[in-house]
Amino acid sequence: MVAVFSAPYTPIEAVLPALREHGYAVLTPDSVAKLCGEPVAGLDALKPSWNDLAPDNYLRDGGSYRRRRHSCFVVNAVGVEQVPHRAHWQSEEYNALHGGMRRWFEPISAEVVAQPTWTRLLRALGETFSAMRDVPRWYVEAHQFRIDTSDGIGRPTPEGAHRDGVDFVAVFLIGRHGIKGGETRVFEAAGPNGQRFTLAEPWSLLLLDDARVIHESTPIQPLQDEGHRDTLVLTYRAGAFQGED
């Protein structure tokens, strides 16, 4: 039996100190609700959209276990603006498996983007990260992921432990259904220390300072029949989207 380690939750008042000291922080669903001024029930209104994700046809390991949608936004003190649909791009430095490819995914649905909850979520994180770095606007890429076990195993991070090439990363667990595995691992980018734990509660949140830590999630397997793991990943970058500078 493999040990399952609980998430090391950070009190909401200690999130910024934790990011400054350790490069990451983990929030409970209740803390996420306080952060964005939205009850967990309001966040749950976004969850049905994970049942309508398109296949990821770019997996270089030959798998068919990942479905996703992707859209881009600019977040500043005034609000949240969705930009015209664009490809997702990372350099090979940050993604050895899929770097250098312009990957076009189906956009996040207009119904999701139109919900006030979505705007509050993106703005709240922008304000949090601006408290870390004085940035006038954030270039945000939003990824809805479903990793399933249709291949017998699903890989949340097929590229392995990595950085994303941005300033900050937010990883929300939306749900786990009929699976084992999917352990989160966070390591110092320039040191030997690391932390391993499993996000288990829907709307629990991992915040990462991308320059200071690398991260990965271990593969998932079904408990009996096919299962899946849903996440929302938001990346915040100053200056421009990746591939524009």
Side-chain angles (χ1 to χ4, degrees):
M1 180 179 292
V2 178
V4 177
F5 298 97
S6 299
Y9 289 124
T10 306
I12 192 168
E13 64 275 8
V15 167
L16 293 179
L19 281 171
R20 292 187 181 106
E21 183 175 355
H22 303 296
Y24 72 94
V26 189
L27 279 68
T28 65
D30 285 343
S31 291
V32 171
K34 291 178 183 177
L35 184 73
C36 64
E38 182 77 29
V40 172
L43 296 170
D44 282 343
L46 301 175
K47 290 173 70 172
S49 62
W50 267 263
N51 294 322
D52 187 33
L53 305 186
D56 182 340
N57 296 316
Y58 293 92
L59 288 170
R60 280 182 165 168
D61 63 2
S64 58
Y65 52 80
R66 184 158 74 181
R67 305 177 73 88
R68 70 193 294 177
R69 287 181 180 269
H70 166 256
S71 290
C72 296
F73 305 83
V74 173
V75 176
N76 57 32
V78 176
V80 175
E81 178 186 359
Q82 185 173 10
V83 303
H85 194 51
R86 61 189 305 278
H88 175 52
W89 184 88
Q90 292 174 292
S91 71
E92 292 180 350
E93 176 185 0
Y94 295 112
N95 191 326
L97 186 61
H98 299 114
M101 302 172 61
R102 293 201 174 273
R103 291 179 283 167
W104 288 93
F105 301 110
E106 291 295 316
I108 294 173
S109 73
E111 291 77 13
V112 168
V113 174
Q115 292 194 42
T117 298
W118 182 259
T119 300
R120 292 190 190 106
L121 201 61
L122 268 62
R123 287 194 69 177
L125 289 172
E127 291 169 1
T128 300
F129 298 143
S130 290
M132 291 284 294
R133 294 177 194 160
D134 187 14
V135 172
R137 64 186 58 81
W138 292 106
Y139 295 83
V140 179
E141 295 197 46
H143 306 260
Q144 291 180 292
F145 287 106
R146 170 165 290 180
I147 307 299
D148 65 38
T149 59
S150 58
D151 292 345
I153 191 170
R155 296 177 174 84
T157 53
E159 65 272 35
H162 65 284
R163 291 165 54 208
D164 284 349
V166 297
D167 289 270
F168 296 99
V169 181
V171 182
F172 294 87
L173 178 75
I174 305 303
R176 296 169 53 97
H177 304 275
I179 61 167
K180 59 183 177 181
E183 180 180 79
T184 297
R185 297 177 178 179
V186 182
F187 311 91
E188 292 176 345
N193 297 319
Q195 180 89 28
R196 53 187 289 209
F197 53 89
T198 300
L199 293 174
E201 296 184 79
W203 293 109
S204 51
L205 168 63
L206 170 64
L207 299 178
L208 302 164
D209 183 333
D210 194 54
R212 295 185 54 195
V213 296
I214 59 178
H215 64 282
E216 67 175 339
S217 295
T218 61
I220 62 170
Q221 294 176 281
L223 290 175
Q224 290 183 332
D225 299 324
E226 187 175 320
H228 62 266
R229 177 178 184 264
D230 293 344
T231 55
L232 171 65
V233 177
L234 302 173
T235 64
Y236 284 66
R237 193 172 191 264
F241 293 108
Q242 290 190 84
E244 290 187 342
D245 55 359

